Amino acid sequence: MGFTPQIKEDALVASGRHCCICHRFCGTKIEVHHIVTKRDGGEDSFENAIPLCFDCHADMRSYDHSHPKGCKYTIKELKRHRDNWYQKVAGNVGTANREEVVETDKKVYRTLLKFLPWNGTIQFLRDNNFAGASFERSETKDLSKYWEQCQNPLFEFIDPDLEGLRADLTEKIRVMKKAIALETFPAHINGCNSVPAEWEFEQPERFRRAVEALHRSADDVCEAYDSLVRTATRKLGILPDDMA
Ligand SMILES: [Zn+2]
């Protein structure tokens, strides 16, 4: 036995098909899991169910410290994450009215744009050709600054759509940081990195894979950033330039 279709449906509706841990919108790429596993006597009840994305589910069962949320969750913690997220989706966020929610989310958005302005690393990722010349490592510094800010638990939108998009951007940035760390190396020019130019002749296949991974990740970051900005403009009624 597992969860009944009704319980699954209730859990998916309550979560808005977002992952209750990382908050990404998952659509069909979501699973309803047991908080207390069947092996440990967990029930097939709504109370024991938590919708999770595939990545967070994989992390729950392992000690993958490479993932930012890689330490093992307690049952209490999982329930709190879930209940907080369900409340967000239901619009029960403890604040009095819509205006207060918008004001708070504007502050979060302002912080996000401060750490990740459109004309900083984002612009660099849009334009840079990783198959070309080396790039200054400082060009990518916004990613680290944003990443640090993500460790602050208050850095979270109240609005579930915006929060889902922010979570998606965060994940794309994690992958981008990893690609830069794995595929680029200090170049001959001080403070610069590049995909090693000699690879192009010595290991052309390796070179091609590295450049492709970097460009794909860069496109994903910019796409996630643009979706968030478009939705924030619509929902919060402000343009990024108004934030300066
Ligand atoms: Zn997740």
Side-chain angles (χ1 to χ4, degrees):
M1 262 294 282
F3 294 116
T4 63
Q6 186 61 53
I7 285 176
K8 276 193 184 171
E9 185 185 313
D10 290 348
L12 290 174
V13 168
S15 71
R17 286 184 178 265
H18 285 248
C19 170
C20 292
I21 289 183
C22 73
H23 299 170
R24 273 184 290 166
F25 175 73
C26 304
T28 55
K29 295 191 179 74
I30 193 163
E31 286 169 322
V32 180
H33 293 290
H34 291 84
I35 293 176
V36 179
T37 60
K38 297 283 280 178
R39 203 176 40 228
D40 294 330
E43 292 176 1
D44 295 322
S45 61
F46 181 76
E47 179 50 30
N48 194 37
I50 183 169
L52 295 176
C53 73
F54 300 159
D55 294 340
C56 287
H57 178 239
D59 279 356
M60 266 182 62
R61 299 281 175 253
S62 65
Y63 292 92
D64 180 1
H65 293 289
S66 66
H67 196 276
K69 293 173 178 176
C71 24
K72 202 168 181 174
Y73 288 95
T74 63
I75 287 162
K76 199 172 145 211
E77 230 181 323
L78 285 173
K79 286 191 175 172
R80 276 181 60 188
H81 276 293
R82 180 200 56 191
D83 294 347
N84 288 344
W85 183 256
Y86 282 4
Q87 283 190 350
K88 210 188 264 284
V89 174
N92 303 325
V93 284
T95 37
N97 56 46
R98 168 86 195 141
E99 270 166 43
E100 278 179 33
V101 169
V102 170
E103 275 316 304
T104 306
D105 277 354
K106 275 184 183 174
K107 282 185 201 155
V108 174
Y109 187 46
R110 212 168 266 135
T111 305
L112 185 143
L113 291 176
K114 190 174 94 188
F115 288 100
L116 211 56
W118 67 270
N119 54 0
T121 298
I122 294 293
Q123 186 70 48
F124 165 77
L125 293 178
R126 278 189 219 285
D127 295 343
N128 190 55
N129 177 5
F130 286 97
S134 59
F135 61 91
E136 286 186 32
R137 283 195 289 280
S138 61
E139 293 279 18
T140 62
K141 67 181 186 307
D142 295 350
L143 302 182
S144 307
K145 285 201 254 164
Y146 173 83
W147 193 257
E148 271 172 40
Q149 182 59 29
C150 289
Q151 310 309 310
N152 176 354
L154 296 175
F155 184 50
E156 184 177 314
F157 287 105
I158 297 175
D159 181 278
D161 292 338
L162 288 174
E163 178 55 13
L165 292 167
R166 190 192 69 80
D168 186 48
L169 174 62
T170 306
E171 171 61 15
K172 300 291 162 46
I173 285 177
R174 184 186 72 80
V175 175
M176 180 82 245
K177 276 162 59 69
K178 195 171 159 192
I180 291 171
L182 288 178
E183 312 290 8
T184 75
F185 297 84
H188 300 302
I189 308 162
N190 230 350
C192 290
N193 261 32
S194 67
V195 178
E198 58 272 23
W199 283 5
E200 197 169 358
F201 308 102
E202 293 166 6
Q203 320 177 54
E205 186 56 24
R206 178 81 185 82
F207 184 82
R208 190 188 58 78
R209 270 208 319 268
V211 168
E212 265 182 24
L214 287 159
H215 284 160
R216 196 180 329 114
S217 302
D219 286 350
D220 286 350
V221 168
C222 295
E223 207 176 292
Y225 184 84
D226 293 346
S227 301
L228 176 59
V229 167
R230 268 198 301 274
T231 308
T233 300
R234 180 166 55 78
K235 288 208 158 194
L236 305 175
I238 30 175
L239 296 165
D241 284 344
D242 298 338
M243 292 296 205

